[in-house]
């Protein structure tokens, strides 16, 4: 990774969301190593990870990022996770978040390789051929119902050898989806990235899988 790309990635801290610089750099390293042509992100929010991946695509000289997110309360709380989490998502100003993410594509110079589709991911399934996606970043609603549906629905769209990154894999509501990825859906677990806070609690975790 060039110093220029590392410097550009720092700009995601100006955006809403939770993708950290270490995660952004890891996503970039995967793209620089594997040179994916089609990258899909489900769950964009403020655009941090999608824009970071777009910067990496420019550095690698290949690929495009398609981010899918309806930016609505109904989609965010579908299935339910916890009262506290659902209450937080119920109060989000989705129009402001969407405007910030969409505007950042041009402001940070990735609008040629990153585009957003403001719709539910189930609506977009038919837009992708089976076996066409090289890298899939799952970071949408974390309820069990939605996460299970997502891994089942999008697995046929993955290219053999493609990479699936599942965010917040330590959440209890994500465990059934993780189990499916490890057993029934034909993936190989490559690594788990975990970051802890000062109290030694898991602050962020995501898993990386390869489609067999």
């Amino acid at each position: 990774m060039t110093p220029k790309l590392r410097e550009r990635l720092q700009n995601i801290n100006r955006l809403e969301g939770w993708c950290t610089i270490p995660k952004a750099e890891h996503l970039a390293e995967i793209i620089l190593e594997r040179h994916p042509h089609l990258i899909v992100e489900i769950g964009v929010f403020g655009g941090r990870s999608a824009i970071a991946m777009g910067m990496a695509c420019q550095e690698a000289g290949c690929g495009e990022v398609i981010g899918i997110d309806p930016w609505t309360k109904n989609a965010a709380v579908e299935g339910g996770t916890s009262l506290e989490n659902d209450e937080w998502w119920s109060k989000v100003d989705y129009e402001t978040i969407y405007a910030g993410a969409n505007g950042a594509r041009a402001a940070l110079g990735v609008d040629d390789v990153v585009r957003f589709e403001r719709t539910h991911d189930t609506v977009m399934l038919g837009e992708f051929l089976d076996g066409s996606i090289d890298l899939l970043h799952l970071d949408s609603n974390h309820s069990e119902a939605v996460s299970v549906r997502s891994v089942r629905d999008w697995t046929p769209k993955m290219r053999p050898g493609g990479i699936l990154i599942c965010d917040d894999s330590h959440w209890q509501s994500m465990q059934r989806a993780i189990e499916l990825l490890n057993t029934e859906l034909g993936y190989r677990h490559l690594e788990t990235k975990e970051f802890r806070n000062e109290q030694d609690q898991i602050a962020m975790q995501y898993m990386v899988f390869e489609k067999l």
Side-chain angles (χ1 to χ4, degrees), residues 1 6 9-10 20-30 52:
M1 186 185 308
R6 288 189 187 277
L9 290 172
Q10 297 294 320
T20 61
I21 297 301
K23 181 178 180 180
E25 291 181 346
H26 187 214
L27 293 173
E29 288 167 356
I30 291 172

Side-chain angles (χ1 to χ4, degrees), residues 100-115:
N102 201 38
R105 293 187 309 114
L108 296 179
V110 295
D111 52 329
D112 60 327
V113 293
V114 177
R115 67 181 171 93

Side-chain angles (χ1 to χ4, degrees), residues 42 78-81 120-122 125 136 138-156 164 166-168 171-185 187:
I42 301 174
E78 180 185 353
T81 52
H120 204 287
D121 70 285
T122 55
L125 274 168
L136 178 64
L138 287 177
D139 192 15
S140 64
N141 182 315
H142 293 341
S143 72
E144 180 171 310
V146 174
S147 59
V148 166
R149 183 186 68 212
S150 294
V151 296
R152 287 192 184 278
D153 283 354
W154 286 92
T155 284
L164 184 150
C166 189
D167 197 59
D168 290 325
W171 284 39
Q172 184 60 40
S173 57
M174 295 289 293
Q175 296 315 299
R176 177 54 180 156
I178 297 298
E179 180 185 9
L180 289 171
L181 291 170
N182 276 315
T183 56
E184 298 180 23
L185 296 180
Y187 290 89

Side-chain angles (χ1 to χ4, degrees), residues 8-25 27-28 31 41 43-56 65 67 69 71 97-98 100-102 104-105 108 110 114 116 137 139 167 204:
R8 288 188 73 197
L9 290 172
Q10 297 294 320
N11 288 300
I12 70 165
N13 281 333
R14 296 157 48 186
L15 308 177
E16 296 286 347
W18 303 272
C19 180
T20 61
I21 297 301
K23 181 178 180 180
E25 291 181 346
L27 293 173
I31 291 169
E41 176 172 86
V44 177
F45 197 64
R48 284 190 175 204
S49 50
I51 286 171
M53 290 190 290
M55 292 174 178
V65 181
D69 195 320
W71 283 279
I97 298 296
Y98 170 70
N102 201 38
R105 293 187 309 114
L108 296 179
V110 295
V114 177
F116 295 148
H137 183 219
D139 192 15
D167 197 59
M204 182 177 72

Side-chain angles (χ1 to χ4, degrees), residues 7 178 190:
E7 183 178 353
I178 297 298
L190 296 182

